[in-house]
Amino acid sequence: MSRKASDNVEYTLRSLSNLMGEKRRRQQAEGAAGSAAAGERSLIAAESCSSLNSAASGAELERAARRQFQQDETPGFVYVVSVFSALGGFLFGYDTGVVSGALLLLKRELNLDALWQELLVSSTVGAAALSALAGGVLNGLCGRRPCILLASGLFTAGAGVLAAARDKETLLGGRVVVGLGIGVASMTVPVYIAEVAPPHLRGRLVTINTLFITGGQFFASVVDGIFSYLAKDGWRYMLGLSAVPAVIQFFGFLFLPESPRWLIQKGQTQRARRILSQMRGNQAIDEEYDSIKNNIEEEEKEVGAAGPVICRMLTYPPTRRALIVGCGLQMFQQLSGINTVMYYSATILQMSGVQDDRLAIWLAALTAFINFIFTLVGVWLVERMGRRKLTLGSLTGTAVALIILASGFLLSAQVSPRVTLNPPDPSHQNSTCTKYSYCNGCMLDPDCGLCYKLNKSSVVESSCIPVDKDSTMKAAWGRCSNETVFKKEDLFWAYNFCPTPYSWTALLGLILYLIFFAPGMGPMPWTVNSEIYPLWARSTGNACSSGVNWVFNVLVSLTFLHTAEYLTYYGAFFLYAGFAGLGLVFIYGCLPETKGKKLEEIESLFENRLCTCEI
Ligand SMILES: O[C@H]1[C@H](O)[C@@H](O)[C@H](O)[C@@H](O)[C@H]1O
């Protein structure tokens, strides 16, 4: 029998056993009085059972099951709950994305030096790493709902502090509060959605959370674009706007339920049953309820309940393997360089000849839009292709795109224009910029930029000059120190990039990167982590893997400029391509397929040694 046919029969039989279970339950509820109003569903059940008795032919069985299936609709409530939780993802994306635009205005208004700018960006990511780890304990003790409420409270408070800040210290405090919210939300939301979703929709609904993350990043870039025109206080709106979705989520969650799985674990079975039937509409919940309950009991027998969860996870082989897979996926997601590619997109676009800064900001919004739209493709594909194929395909494409991107930088470096003019520094300060004889060295030095003219498409009259301390858009002195003047005189100022005929290669690499990364490597690490741990280990497993995601996020972004200085840009992107290659080997060997499986069935996928999973 073909796989499909056997699946059908299995499904048919399962549906029929549901049908009969449902009928039995109804009969018990209706009691001896034998209510005549058994409803349409009982009629179908009766019809199905009688057809089972009389003919019992395969075709009839299948027809009855199909009719039952058509009645089994997932109630809209599951979608409402998922969307409200995914607002946490939106805030994660918004708050990590909005800061780059806000900094452009902030550094002028509050005179921020490089250290303070760095602090305002990385304090949020650092706080997120810590609170994701702490979120595991909170989730286990208090449940998912209080954690989501806490996260939206933190997002609101942080937004308020940031919008009202009068000095940089308050700003730093606000960014830390927001980071604490991001960490808790990033680990709780995928777990919560996975626990309320029916198995056949779980991947899609959890992936919606990542869609909201990238949606938040896109929205942030549009808000940055709009408020960049408001030189005074524009940053207050940028940073404060996130209070709106945070408040909506907070009030929404006052009315939304706790995860039924967490409730069963805590022995609150009546409440759990009520919520589970709300989530499943007209489908029978007995089977699901029993399987969750039995599983919890078995797990307690098998693993015991003594000692910290992380120690039990590490000493019990299936959860140890799941943890390695979960953390590995999150590590490779960040090591493939998504956040540097996104952050660097404006420069890549400038290399392609976009000289106007405002245009570059809007084109960066376009980059965020491509990331968002292709995450939507992931939502569509995840239940069709499954997690494993989608992740493998996505990472393969990402690695190829990184190679193209790196080659673009390599070719550009090989034809890097010569520095032809060396004007004397009027301030007589000893700048490092004078020592470079090619643009390539000049652009890798964060203190210098290239001032040049174009003759047709070739660079002429070029000089490597120190960059202005307040704005990277002009030189500290000389021909390129006054923006309006040098633009009128047909002069160009290149900071962080060199004019190159190979910019299209980098641009192609950038677009391909997002097209491949966004549907798979973006969402799958979150989706897979939400489903691979048994209930007792789920909060801790997700806390660890989210922590790994944030720690590698900080590491990759903080080291990028140094990596680029030592290895040059193409070296840095080749390095990420290498990491993506290693990630491919890891995923090929270790990631099992979890599509369509009940959360309770997934543990068995990790019973075998790693690297022996099905292909
Ligand atoms: O899955 C998300 C997403 O792909 C984002 O675009 C990225 O900024 C995050 O770091 C990542 O965790």
Side-chain angles (χ1 to χ4, degrees):
M1 198 181 314
S2 76
R3 174 96 198 267
K4 222 176 171 130
S6 75
D7 281 355
N8 271 342
V9 170
E10 198 193 320
Y11 177 74
T12 309
L13 292 176
R14 217 182 311 139
S15 305
L16 271 167
S17 95
N18 275 348
L19 262 166
M20 295 200 294
E22 176 75 347
K23 191 183 175 217
R24 228 177 293 128
R25 211 162 51 81
R26 273 170 191 265
Q27 277 168 349
Q28 277 162 8
E30 282 155 14
S35 163
E40 199 190 350
R41 213 179 141 83
S42 296
L43 273 176
I44 296 167
E47 191 192 310
S48 320
C49 290
S50 68
S51 53
L52 177 68
N53 288 336
S54 54
S57 76
E60 268 171 87
L61 275 175
E62 208 168 319
R63 231 174 297 139
R66 199 168 304 130
R67 227 171 302 153
Q68 163 75 34
F69 180 64
Q70 279 156 2
Q71 297 267 316
D72 283 349
E73 274 172 20
T74 304
F77 189 50
V78 174
Y79 294 99
V80 172
V81 168
S82 306
V83 165
F84 265 94
S85 351
L87 281 178
F90 182 86
L91 287 159
F92 157 176
Y94 185 87
D95 280 318
T96 46
V98 80
V99 69
S100 55
L103 272 180
L104 289 179
L105 303 180
L106 268 171
K107 65 180 179 196
R108 275 183 221 154
E109 220 172 303
L110 296 185
N111 251 333
L112 298 180
D113 57 19
L115 177 71
W116 267 94
Q117 293 178 39
E118 195 53 74
L119 270 178
L120 289 179
V121 177
S122 30
S123 55
T124 308
V125 187
L130 292 179
S131 74
L133 289 169
V137 182
L138 277 182
N139 256 272
L141 288 179
C142 317
R144 326 302 187 210
R145 184 173 166 269
C147 285
I148 296 183
L149 281 170
L150 172 71
S152 37
L154 287 167
F155 280 125
T156 317
V161 171
L162 288 167
R166 305 220 155 269
D167 48 42
K168 50 188 187 236
E169 289 78 13
T170 320
L171 275 174
L172 183 62
R175 289 293 292 164
V176 169
V177 174
V178 163
L180 294 176
I182 296 181
V184 177
S186 70
M187 69 126 312
T188 312
V189 171
V191 171
Y192 178 78
I193 300 182
E195 290 187 343
V196 298
H200 69 286
L201 283 180
R202 190 180 56 238
R204 183 160 296 164
L205 291 178
V206 180
T207 307
I208 285 185
N209 184 49
T210 316
L211 182 70
F212 272 53
I213 299 178
T214 52
Q217 289 173 328
F218 167 57
F219 191 70
S221 57
V222 172
V223 168
D224 276 356
I226 294 173
F227 287 105
S228 65
Y229 295 91
L230 199 64
K232 175 134 181 52
D233 285 347
W235 57 270
R236 291 190 193 278
Y237 297 98
M238 296 177 184
L239 298 171
L241 255 178
S242 62
V244 178
V247 168
I248 295 178
Q249 189 188 42
F250 186 84
F251 283 104
F253 255 86
L254 289 179
F255 302 97
L256 293 174
E258 180 51 84
S259 145
R261 284 179 161 80
W262 184 84
L263 288 171
I264 299 176
Q265 194 192 26
K266 296 289 163 191
Q268 301 185 33
T269 47
Q270 286 309 315
R271 243 178 98 198
R273 280 199 81 101
R274 213 181 45 242
I275 295 169
L276 201 59
S277 34
Q278 248 180 319
M279 301 281 183
R280 299 293 177 265
N282 62 354
Q283 294 164 37
I285 59 158
D286 287 348
E287 200 195 335
E288 189 174 356
Y289 176 84
D290 290 342
S291 108
I292 301 174
K293 203 159 178 346
N294 293 340
N295 213 267
I296 293 174
E297 284 163 6
E298 260 169 48
E299 277 164 3
E300 274 174 11
K301 258 187 258 151
E302 233 170 281
V303 195
V309 180
I310 185 70
C311 298
R312 279 187 275 151
M313 282 183 82
L314 291 173
T315 46
Y316 181 57
T319 45
R320 185 175 57 234
R321 288 175 197 134
L323 191 64
I324 295 174
V325 171
C327 293
L329 275 175
Q330 291 287 24
M331 179 180 82
F332 283 116
Q333 181 199 63
Q334 292 301 319
L335 286 180
S336 340
I338 172 67
N339 290 306
T340 13
V341 171
M342 290 268 284
Y343 178 75
Y344 215 65
S345 63
T347 308
I348 294 172
L349 293 163
Q350 278 179 324
M351 275 174 54
S352 325
V354 179
Q355 290 286 338
D356 185 88
D357 293 310
R358 293 234 186 280
L359 190 57
I361 292 181
W362 285 109
L363 286 175
L366 183 70
T367 317
F369 183 69
I370 301 179
N371 193 20
F372 168 66
I373 282 296
F374 280 89
T375 311
L376 194 64
V377 174
V379 175
W380 182 70
L381 283 178
V382 63
E383 296 298 358
R384 286 183 170 74
M385 281 178 83
R387 298 25 167 180
R388 191 179 147 82
K389 273 195 201 142
L390 184 55
T391 316
L392 279 172
S394 159
L395 194 53
T396 310
T398 302
V400 173
L402 277 167
I403 293 174
I404 299 178
L405 191 59
S407 311
F409 280 102
L410 175 64
L411 291 171
S412 308
Q414 281 172 346
V415 294
S416 176
R418 244 179 184 289
V419 174
T420 50
L421 297 177
N422 276 311
D425 180 350
S427 61
H428 303 291
Q429 275 168 356
N430 252 351
S431 131
T432 48
C433 307
T434 43
K435 71 175 191 214
Y436 303 111
S437 20
Y438 287 91
C439 174
N440 206 36
C442 180
M443 77 136 173
L444 285 171
D445 188 331
D447 294 331
C448 315
L450 193 81
C451 183
Y452 62 97
K453 274 189 174 178
L454 280 178
N455 181 6
K456 294 204 181 114
S457 58
S458 42
V459 173
V460 290
E461 296 177 31
S462 55
S463 50
C464 182
I465 309 285
V467 64
D468 188 285
K469 284 205 170 45
D470 299 325
S471 161
T472 54
M473 293 165 196
K474 55 183 185 180
W477 49 263
R479 300 175 299 165
C480 283
S481 59
N482 184 325
E483 271 184 86
T484 26
V485 175
F486 76 68
K487 277 183 185 153
K488 248 192 239 152
E489 288 180 11
D490 278 343
L491 276 157
F492 295 98
W493 170 247
Y495 179 72
N496 240 342
F497 70 93
C498 288
T500 165
Y502 292 107
S503 56
W504 64 269
T505 323
L507 193 61
L508 177 74
L510 171 73
I511 293 172
L512 283 180
Y513 181 96
L514 293 169
I515 289 178
F516 281 107
F517 181 91
M521 270 317 273
M524 285 312 108
W526 299 106
T527 306
V528 169
N529 267 288
S530 72
E531 47 190 23
I532 53 176
Y533 309 103
L535 186 55
W536 61 270
R538 196 165 296 147
S539 338
T540 309
N542 275 277
C544 293
S545 58
S546 313
V548 166
N549 180 292
W550 289 111
V551 168
F552 277 89
N553 187 330
V554 183
L555 276 180
V556 174
S557 354
L558 281 188
T559 53
F560 178 70
L561 282 180
H562 292 284
T563 319
E565 249 175 77
Y566 290 114
L567 299 179
T568 71
Y569 285 124
Y570 62 82
F573 287 113
F574 275 129
L575 181 70
Y576 297 149
F579 287 139
L582 283 181
L584 262 178
V585 176
F586 172 78
I587 291 166
Y588 185 81
C590 304
L591 179 67
E593 182 54 71
T594 47
K595 175 183 133 184
K597 298 230 163 18
K598 286 207 205 93
L599 287 181
E600 286 65 35
E601 290 166 356
I602 291 175
E603 190 186 333
S604 62
L605 297 175
F606 292 92
E607 264 158 17
N608 296 330
R609 288 179 165 281
L610 278 181
C611 305
T612 52
C613 307
E614 63 183 57
I615 291 173

